[in-house]
């Protein structure tokens, strides 16, 4: 029998951090972040990064490992997460993989190493096409070339549409076909997927709005100040993966004078809801997940009980 690792998955604002900390209070654990935004240093507020007190209570990995100028691939995540989980198990502790970047979870479970590496020249040409034609038109182009991939992407998901078109040009094959043939990785541990999902999506939407309002509040959050400080560096721009994160790109638009504060709030909350919808769509395609209602008052306790049962 392979050793056990626990995946605590869920859409944004579903209470994943609280659930992981509850497990860590009862079992010797270390947390591996599964979040494409938490890897960046200096981006604390808009990413809802665990606090210093939370990170002091239990060891966290894959947080603050990159400068916002850098990028982090699914392949890098899979290699890092597998190595870290093995190290944690060797220390006699339980690995908790916690987050909402479903592409990372998918790469770990299903493998993504069949996809070609990015090409800077091709990406620049696609950037120009997006600027000229717009994301919906590029989504329509992808729908002609790779209907299954287009069907799972929103027309405004610029980054993933661009990647899918890039894969087609580099490999001559649609991404969906390459992924279908990808060998499933032989993980050195058994990954138990625990999914925090809302029984009432309106309640999740209310939590998303309340959390973003707290981020905007200069007394409790200070997101605008955080993005202003990042802009002041002079080397960051909205084409970077870090600055395309939800909340950051809308705040950048506000600081550019393109939208007012009310529009910043509205656009960021809508984008976060759309992100949550995509996360839930991916989760509901996992037949082996153990679902816990994230709206339940005892959601963290239910996660703890599921871990207890799995560990026997």
């Amino acid at each position: 029998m392979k050793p056990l690792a626990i995946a605590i998955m869920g859409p944004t604002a579903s209470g994943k951090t609280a659930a992981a900390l509850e497990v860590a209070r009862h079992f010797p654990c270390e947390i591996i972040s599964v979040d494409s935004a938490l890897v960046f240093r200096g981006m604390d507020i808009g990413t809802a990064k665990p606090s210093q007190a939370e990170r002091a209570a239990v060891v966290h990995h894959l947080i603050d490992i990159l400068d916002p100028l850098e990028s982090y691939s699914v392949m890098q995540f899979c290699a890092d997460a597998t190595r870290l989980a093995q190290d944690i198990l060797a220390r006699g502790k339980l690995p908790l993989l916690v987050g909402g970047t479903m592409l990372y979870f998918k790469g770990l479970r299903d493998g993504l190493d069949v996809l070609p590496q990015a090409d800077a020249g091709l990406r620049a040409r696609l950037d120009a096409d997006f600027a000229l034609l717009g994301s919906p038109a590029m989504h329509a182009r992808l729908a002609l070339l790779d209907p299954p991939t287009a069907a799972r992407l929103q027309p405004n998901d610029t980054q993933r549409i661009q990647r899918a078109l890039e894969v087609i040009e580099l490999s001559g094959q649609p991404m969906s076909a390459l992924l279908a043939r990808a060998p499933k990785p032989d993980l050195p541990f058994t990954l138990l997927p625990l999914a925090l999902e809302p029984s009432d999506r309106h309640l999740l939407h209310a939590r998303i709005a309340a959390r973003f309002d707290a981020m905007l509040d200069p007394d409790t959050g200070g997101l605008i100040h955080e993005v202003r400080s990042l802009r002041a560096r002079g080397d960051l721009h909205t084409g970077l993966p870090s600055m395309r994160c939800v909340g950051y790109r809308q705040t950048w638009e506000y600081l550019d004078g393109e939208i007012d504060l009310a529009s910043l709030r509205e656009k960021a909350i809508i984008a976060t809801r759309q992100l949550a919808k995509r996360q839930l769509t991916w989760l509901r395609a996992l037949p082996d997940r153990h679902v816990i209602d994230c709206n339940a008052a005892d959601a963290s306790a239910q996660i703890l009980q599921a871990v207890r049962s799995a560990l026997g």
Side-chain angles (χ1 to χ4, degrees), residues 152-211:
R152 65 178 176 80
L153 299 180
Q154 296 294 319
N156 61 352
D157 195 350
T158 303
Q159 186 176 355
R160 291 186 176 87
I161 295 169
Q162 182 191 61
R163 176 58 177 155
L165 289 168
E166 180 183 58
V167 166
I168 292 168
E169 291 212 31
L170 291 173
S171 69
Q173 300 176 70
M175 178 185 283
S176 56
L178 291 174
L179 294 180
R181 294 196 297 270
K184 193 173 181 65
D186 183 21
L187 294 175
F189 49 83
T190 298
L191 191 63
L192 174 68
L194 306 178
L196 286 162
E197 300 177 23
S199 57
D200 184 342
R201 197 171 295 189
H202 291 95
L203 293 176
L204 180 66
H205 288 174
R207 289 165 70 166
I208 287 170
R211 189 171 74 166

Side-chain angles (χ1 to χ4, degrees), residues 7-249:
I8 300 179
M9 309 167 163
T12 184
S14 60
K16 298 180 293 294
T17 296
L21 292 173
E22 179 66 15
V23 174
R25 278 191 283 269
H26 293 83
F27 292 97
C29 301
E30 294 183 29
I31 293 173
I32 300 172
S33 170
V34 188
D35 191 302
S36 61
L38 296 191
V39 298
F40 296 115
R41 292 186 291 271
M43 295 173 58
D44 302 334
I45 297 165
T47 62
K49 194 172 287 180
S51 68
Q52 290 299 324
E54 290 168 334
R55 292 163 67 180
V58 57
V59 175
H60 286 66
H61 300 277
L62 301 186
I63 293 179
D64 289 345
I65 62 171
L66 295 179
D67 184 86
L69 268 177
E70 300 175 278
S71 61
Y72 191 60
S73 70
V74 181
M75 190 177 298
Q76 288 173 295
F77 167 79
C78 292
D80 288 343
T82 300
R83 172 182 51 80
L84 287 166
Q86 288 178 295
D87 291 346
I88 293 166
L89 289 164
R91 289 191 284 271
K93 295 183 178 182
L94 177 66
L96 295 182
L97 288 90
V98 183
T101 299
M102 301 308 170
L103 192 60
Y104 285 3
F105 278 124
K106 178 175 174 55
L108 195 63
R109 286 170 54 102
D110 302 332
L112 288 176
D113 56 353
V114 297
L115 300 182
Q117 293 294 309
D119 179 274
L122 174 55
R123 185 154 290 186
R125 178 159 57 80
L126 288 170
D127 280 338
D129 287 348
F130 272 96
L132 179 65
L133 302 173
S135 189
M138 298 297 281
H139 183 264
R141 179 191 295 183
L142 178 62
L144 293 174
L145 300 170
D146 186 356
T149 299
R152 65 178 176 80
L153 299 180
Q154 296 294 319
N156 61 352
D157 195 350
T158 303
Q159 186 176 355
R160 291 186 176 87
I161 295 169
Q162 182 191 61
R163 176 58 177 155
L165 289 168
E166 180 183 58
V167 166
I168 292 168
E169 291 212 31
L170 291 173
S171 69
Q173 300 176 70
M175 178 185 283
S176 56
L178 291 174
L179 294 180
R181 294 196 297 270
K184 193 173 181 65
D186 183 21
L187 294 175
F189 49 83
T190 298
L191 191 63
L192 174 68
L194 306 178
L196 286 162
E197 300 177 23
S199 57
D200 184 342
R201 197 171 295 189
H202 291 95
L203 293 176
L204 180 66
H205 288 174
R207 289 165 70 166
I208 287 170
R211 189 171 74 166
F212 192 73
D213 285 338
M215 290 176 182
L216 285 179
D217 188 326
D219 295 325
T220 59
L223 175 61
I224 293 173
H225 175 73
E226 181 173 78
V227 178
R228 186 179 285 119
S229 297
L230 290 166
R231 283 163 57 98
R233 290 177 33 155
D235 58 351
L236 302 178
H237 55 84
T238 54
L240 293 167
S242 59
M243 293 300 104
R244 288 202 293 262
C245 290
V246 170
Y248 287 87
R249 62 177 181 265

